Amino acid sequence: MPFQFYTDAGLTSALTGNLEVNTSPTTFHLWLGHTSTGKKVETATGSGVNNITIAVYDSATGSGHPTTDVKLATTTGGLGAGGQSLTIGTSLNGGTAGAYEFYCKVTDSLGGAGASTELTIETPNLVETSI
Amino acid sequence: MPTYGGQPFEPLPFGDELGGGPTNPEYVVSATISIDTRPRYVVDATIAIDTRPRYAAEAIVEFPPLTYAVGTAIEINVGTSYSVSGTIEFLPYIYAVSATVEFDPASAPYKASATVSFRPDVHAAANAATVWWNLSVTLGGTDITTRLTGDVTVEREEDASALASLVYVPTTGSLDPLMWLGKEVKIWWIQLNSAGVEQNRRLRYTGLVSDTQWDADNRTVAIQCTTDLQGLFDRLTRAQIDEMVPGSWSEWVFSEDSRGWSYAEDRQSTTENSIWHDEMRMVQNTSVRAAVSPTYTFGDDDRLEDQAQLEYADRQSITNVMNIALDYRFERKRHREVTFSWQPYSVVGSGGVASLCMYLNDPYPLCQRSMVESAANGNGWVLQGEIRYIPVWPAGSYNCGGGDLKVWGFEEVPWGQYIVTRKQNFTQWCIGAWWKSAKRWLQTVTETYSLQVRCSDSVDEIGELVDSIDYGVESQADNSGWESSLDDTGYPAGSLVINFGDYYLDSTEDDSAGRDVLDDVQDMVLAIASANLVRAHRNTGVTFRAPFQPMVRLDQTIKLDSAGLVAQGKVRRIADTFGLESGEASTEIELAISRHNGTGLYTPSALTPPAQPAPPTETPPSTRVHLDLYLGGRLASPSLPEDANGYLADYQYDPDTVLVPNWYYNPDNPNVKTYGQQFIAIAPDIDEAYTDPAEVTATQVYEVVVPEDLLELTA
């Protein structure tokens, strides 16, 4: 089981599907983590030096929804000024205590015109090691 | 494990034994090795480095980065420290490298990723005259849509797990329905066109199998699903729940043993929110208040023909007055200082001469300073600073009137073969003294906050329906050392002076139950009471059924605009039924209608805790103790009072000097009262008003205005 997104602080409910935006705006409360306290991740490139980030990516730049439809923040209050990237640090430990809590607010700037899945939130490549 | 790379690698093109190499040597050098696979993670590597004698110092080998994509150069950074003109530098230096690098495919780098799936607004499509639809259901990740039969139901309600049920026809063969327990179930509603081609889809439910039942006759498995809202919270720590449920919590308000779902409910009760699971099984906290404008309006044509139902709140289920009694108990650290004063003689001017003459005419033992000191330190109070003494009259000759000249304060002492006269040393005696003493004690104080939170709109219409609740906060500060902490440094810093010589310091600074905690608890109980009143007035419900409503959620406000009933409220419950055989998909929607039925003219109060009640009025205590002089040994001497406080002595009796009748002065005369010699310094008792538990009260009334949702009935 890799480090992944969860929908609860206890890391018991993994996000198994997409972030379904049925109404606009929709706010998702998420945690990035691993259930095992014996694991940690660092970036694959520049391990221990580069920061792990969570960022919004657009697989179809120039068409569909812009990345600015997604805002990321560590608090709900921060979503108003939230950007499209969060910096976690150079490593992230497993276990609920190490999980990274954040909020993701999605606004459908196209007004529910159609289905689309061009935006993702993702980390850079991570390497997982035992602590 | 596969092995990649040459064994050994080829010599690398940098550095030589003469120190040559790149013009500007850099620490990082690289060589490329082709890897014909996806990214891997290096778990082990051995590198042999052959160095020339000139660079015999230790070699430094690094492997950053530890991962490799296809075609990416593997960087093997080798340097060695050497000294040129005393400067330590790194020079890339490898003469030959051999390495075996092993890769563990299981440890390949990966991304954590989630796709944002925008779904179109299908409200209009779902409410069209004709709707073609289907479901897509997965069980444990396996699509079982084509094996469903009967009805599929989905139900979600405020503060409860979302439920689903379905009937599944397993594939032939033996099976164990229990194997599905805990498996994830996802239910999608799919909008089709008339040709049966998918147009849109909506995730309607994500949950876990909670129960299975085998129907042996029909050979079907009935599956019950739940989002396990309570179970989710029961597995979380308090800190984790704090992240997920807004509100506040205190052990002074809730049960100290509260955990899991109970703890989440505690926090929720301090808000006007409800907790529920959405279609992704994400926990949502949303207000129970309806919005001003409805998200959707349903007319008679938009709902199914079932009669819309209106169920009024039972009067007994309503609370419109919350009486809160909140006691705050703490210890008041009291400190009192008292001045003892013994000044029986006038020692100034002629008064001093007169007092001396009186003493010389009828002497008695003078007071020793040590007696004063013993009395000051032996009465249970603590001496503050030093005792000030009034020395005895100075030596000299004094005119005691009528030509009676008396000499005082000289003594004759031998000096060789002579007898000389010198002034006596009186430093061990005194004819007056004063000092300050202090005492500390604890007094229990209870502040009672009598708070009433009411909805007067409702009270005016249906009378008071009262609920009362008591809370208590007790300071946990350990003040056991307060009374013995007194030294001679006076009252403690920060003390409040309530009277000259009287001070106190309230013990309300402890972290667990200090005044800051009390403030938080007051905020909490007021929030709870206010939220209770809001919730208690939304028990009226309007229920109606419509074609399946994929866009309706529990956090929305819906308006029912029917011919006989117009109502608008927040959605309390949604129940979907998908008839796979009948083809009918419907949603039953229950609206919570908040009503007070009053004039609506009241304005809400700010839920600000009342000010700390003033301490009880106290009569200023006497902080000065007058000590007297009591002389016995004469027939005229009175009986010694029981409350004698000061210096006690008896007149001297000298049969050779006293005048007749001697018997009047003789201590052997049973009628002559003698007092003995002692110094008494009894401190005043501390009045009960300062020691008994004190109670003060603050009272405040708060007005809460509950929403008045639209509800109109037309006959």
Side-chain angles (χ1 to χ4, degrees):
Chain A
M1 181 186 300
F3 276 72
Q4 59 186 320
F5 295 121
Y6 289 86
T7 62
D8 70 301
L11 309 185
T12 63
S13 183
L15 180 64
T16 55
N18 295 347
L19 295 168
E20 295 291 330
V21 183
N22 292 332
T23 57
S24 177
T26 296
T27 299
F28 303 99
H29 192 184
L30 300 168
W31 287 259
L32 173 62
H34 193 290
T35 54
S36 170
T37 55
K39 300 286 188 180
K40 76 169 185 179
V41 281
E42 295 174 334
T43 54
T45 301
S47 296
V49 177
N50 292 352
N51 279 319
I52 299 172
T53 57
I54 300 172
V56 184
Y57 292 89
D58 188 348
S59 62
T61 306
S63 65
H65 295 85
T67 57
T68 50
D69 277 8
V70 180
K71 288 190 173 182
L72 304 173
T74 55
T75 63
T76 52
L79 284 170
Q84 282 69 55
S85 179
L86 293 172
T87 300
I88 297 174
T90 56
S91 68
L92 182 66
N93 288 342
T96 54
Y100 184 77
E101 176 189 9
F102 68 102
Y103 294 85
C104 171
K105 181 178 181 180
V106 184
T107 303
D108 186 352
S109 63
L110 302 184
S116 62
T117 56
E118 72 273 25
L119 300 184
T120 57
I121 60 168
E122 61 186 53
T123 66
N125 265 331
L126 304 173
V127 287
E128 183 180 311
T129 55
S130 297
I131 297 176
Chain B
M1 276 182 195
T3 299
Y4 298 93
Q7 299 183 43
F9 294 160
E10 295 299 317
L12 299 177
F14 45 79
D16 61 36
E17 67 274 23
L18 299 177
T23 304
N24 296 306
E26 293 180 347
Y27 178 42
V28 177
V29 293
S30 65
T32 301
I33 300 172
S34 174
I35 300 175
D36 58 349
T37 185
R38 63 192 182 89
R40 302 295 191 200
Y41 171 49
V42 177
V43 293
D44 192 15
T46 57
I47 299 176
I49 300 173
D50 184 7
T51 61
R52 289 300 176 93
R54 179 178 174 181
Y55 307 111
E58 63 176 325
I60 300 170
V61 181
E62 292 186 352
F63 270 77
L66 292 173
T67 57
Y68 308 91
V70 175
T72 301
I74 289 181
E75 293 181 347
I76 301 175
N77 307 316
V78 180
T80 183
S81 60
Y82 77 112
S83 175
V84 176
S85 302
T87 302
I88 303 298
E89 296 182 4
F90 280 107
L91 179 69
Y93 172 77
I94 298 177
Y95 180 76
V97 174
S98 66
T100 300
V101 183
E102 294 181 342
F103 301 91
D104 178 7
S107 298
Y110 60 83
K111 293 179 178 179
S113 176
T115 299
V116 179
S117 181
F118 291 92
R119 302 292 178 185
D121 188 332
V122 291
H123 181 72
N127 287 277
T130 303
V131 179
W132 288 273
W133 63 272
N134 197 359
L135 292 183
S136 174
V137 178
T138 58
L139 170 60
T142 302
D143 191 333
I144 60 169
T145 307
T146 58
R147 307 200 68 81
L148 296 176
T149 184
D151 291 348
V152 174
T153 66
V154 173
E155 180 178 5
R156 50 176 39 91
E157 188 174 4
E158 293 174 345
D159 304 320
S161 296
L163 306 175
S165 68
L166 52 91
V167 179
Y168 170 49
V169 182
T171 53
T172 56
S174 64
L175 76 157
D176 179 6
L178 293 179
M179 65 181 286
W180 292 309
L181 290 180
K183 291 286 190 297
E184 186 180 72
V185 170
K186 284 180 180 284
I187 301 176
W188 294 81
W189 175 81
I190 299 173
Q191 180 202 352
L192 308 172
N193 63 13
S194 58
V197 177
E198 178 175 333
Q199 303 298 294
N200 291 300
R201 62 169 50 204
R202 284 276 163 164
L203 179 63
R204 192 57 175 172
Y205 184 80
T206 304
L208 308 173
V209 176
S210 61
D211 187 31
T212 59
Q213 193 168 13
W214 173 242
D215 183 337
D217 294 331
N218 295 312
R219 286 187 280 182
T220 58
V221 179
I223 294 178
Q224 307 296 321
C225 306
T226 178
T227 54
D228 195 19
L229 184 64
Q230 296 185 19
L232 170 72
F233 282 104
D234 283 341
R235 288 188 292 272
L236 300 182
T237 65
R238 284 182 175 177
Q240 291 164 353
I241 294 172
D242 291 348
E243 295 177 15
M244 299 178 68
V245 181
S248 51
W249 192 91
S250 167
E251 62 185 3
W252 299 109
V253 176
F254 303 105
S255 167
E256 194 174 0
D257 298 328
S258 183
R259 296 285 186 280
W261 173 244
S262 173
Y263 178 77
E265 285 186 309
D266 290 346
R267 290 181 63 85
Q268 185 208 7
S269 70
T270 65
T271 71
E272 293 180 0
N273 287 352
S274 65
I275 306 178
W276 49 283
H277 262 141
D278 68 9
E279 62 277 6
M280 291 178 60
R281 202 178 166 228
M282 282 193 171
V283 174
Q284 301 287 338
N285 290 277
T286 54
S287 173
V288 298
R289 289 178 181 253
V292 174
S293 301
T295 308
Y296 300 109
T297 298
F298 291 86
D300 283 337
D301 292 341
D302 302 318
R303 63 183 181 90
L304 299 179
E305 293 178 354
D306 312 58
Q307 181 67 45
Q309 295 181 348
L310 167 65
E311 186 172 349
Y312 279 111
D314 176 7
R315 181 176 183 274
Q316 296 307 314
S317 70
I318 298 174
T319 300
N320 52 29
V321 176
M322 290 285 297
N323 287 332
I324 303 167
L326 171 60
D327 287 345
Y328 180 48
R329 185 169 293 115
F330 59 89
E331 288 182 317
R332 178 163 288 165
K333 297 188 287 190
R334 307 204 68 138
H335 175 104
R336 179 171 293 175
E337 295 180 354
V338 171
T339 300
F340 290 80
S341 175
W342 180 59
Q343 298 181 62
Y345 308 100
S346 175
V347 294
V348 180
S350 58
V353 175
S355 63
L356 174 59
C357 291
M358 288 177 61
Y359 168 76
L360 292 176
N361 285 335
D362 206 355
Y364 49 86
L366 287 173
C367 179
Q368 296 179 40
R369 296 187 179 191
S370 60
M371 298 172 69
V372 177
E373 188 176 339
S374 294
N377 287 315
N379 60 1
W381 290 56
V382 176
L383 181 64
Q384 303 291 289
E386 296 181 348
I387 300 173
R388 299 292 192 84
Y389 294 102
I390 300 174
V392 299
W393 306 274
S397 61
Y398 293 87
N399 184 355
C400 290
D404 181 13
L405 197 63
K406 291 185 182 294
V407 177
W408 159 253
F410 294 95
E411 61 182 355
E412 293 179 338
V413 294
W415 186 57
Q417 57 185 335
Y418 306 104
I419 298 294
V420 298
T421 301
R422 68 176 187 189
K423 290 183 178 178
Q424 284 184 274
N425 182 0
F426 289 132
T427 53
Q428 71 270 39
W429 290 295
C430 66
I431 56 172
W434 71 91
W435 69 92
K436 186 182 285 185
S437 290
K439 192 176 183 66
R440 289 181 177 179
W441 71 98
L442 294 169
Q443 182 184 29
T444 301
V445 177
T446 302
E447 295 175 357
T448 297
Y449 294 88
S450 181
L451 313 176
Q452 184 179 84
V453 183
R454 60 188 285 121
C455 173
S456 295
D457 272 320
S458 175
V459 171
D460 291 347
E461 291 301 310
I462 60 176
E464 284 195 348
L465 296 166
V466 183
D467 194 4
S468 300
I469 191 160
D470 297 341
Y471 300 98
V473 178
E474 184 168 355
S475 172
Q476 305 296 296
D478 180 9
N479 298 312
S480 57
W482 170 248
E483 294 180 10
S484 60
S485 67
L486 185 59
D487 54 21
D488 62 354
T489 57
Y491 61 88
S495 296
L496 187 65
V497 183
I498 59 170
N499 187 40
F500 181 74
D502 233 27
Y503 308 85
Y504 71 69
L505 192 62
D506 286 347
S507 182
T508 57
E509 301 301 320
D510 62 305
D511 293 337
S512 62
R515 198 164 287 283
D516 289 345
V517 173
L518 172 68
D519 290 343
D520 292 342
V521 167
Q522 287 178 311
D523 288 337
M524 216 174 292
V525 299
L526 288 171
I528 291 170
S530 174
N532 278 354
L533 295 190
V534 170
R535 287 193 177 90
H537 285 81
R538 61 190 297 269
N539 291 334
T540 294
V542 168
T543 306
F544 65 97
R545 207 160 66 93
F548 172 63
Q549 298 298 318
M551 302 296 290
V552 173
R553 287 164 49 104
L554 283 180
D555 56 348
Q556 292 173 339
T557 296
I558 300 292
K559 181 179 181 180
L560 174 64
D561 192 356
S562 181
L565 173 62
V566 178
Q568 179 176 310
K570 189 200 149 295
V571 179
R572 176 158 41 214
R573 186 179 67 89
I574 306 169
D576 303 324
T577 302
F578 303 96
L580 297 176
E581 292 164 4
S582 67
E584 180 181 293
S586 65
T587 299
E588 185 174 272
I589 299 172
E590 180 182 338
L591 306 178
I593 307 297
S594 176
R595 302 285 294 177
H596 57 67
N597 296 317
T599 61
L601 298 178
Y602 292 94
T603 55
S605 310
L607 297 179
T608 306
Q612 176 186 350
T617 304
E618 296 177 339
T619 305
S622 171
T623 56
R624 193 169 188 85
V625 179
H626 293 279
L627 304 175
D628 289 328
L629 173 65
Y630 302 88
L631 295 173
R634 293 290 182 268
L635 194 61
S637 298
S639 297
L640 187 66
E642 290 184 358
D643 59 351
N645 208 12
Y647 179 56
L648 281 61
D650 294 318
Y651 287 110
Q652 291 178 356
Y653 175 71
D654 184 351
D656 298 330
T657 60
V658 295
L659 301 175
V660 291
N662 291 358
W663 186 239
Y664 289 172
Y665 304 152
N666 192 331
D668 292 335
N669 183 342
N671 294 321
V672 171
K673 285 83 176 178
T674 57
Y675 303 153
Q677 185 185 10
Q678 64 174 316
F679 199 99
I680 302 171
I682 300 173
D685 290 336
I686 296 171
D687 193 83
E688 291 178 349
Y690 303 94
T691 59
D692 286 353
E695 295 182 0
V696 288
T697 301
T699 301
Q700 190 138 335
V701 177
Y702 300 88
E703 188 68 46
V704 170
V705 175
V706 303
E708 180 79 344
D709 291 338
L710 175 65
L711 182 64
E712 293 176 356
L713 282 62
T714 304

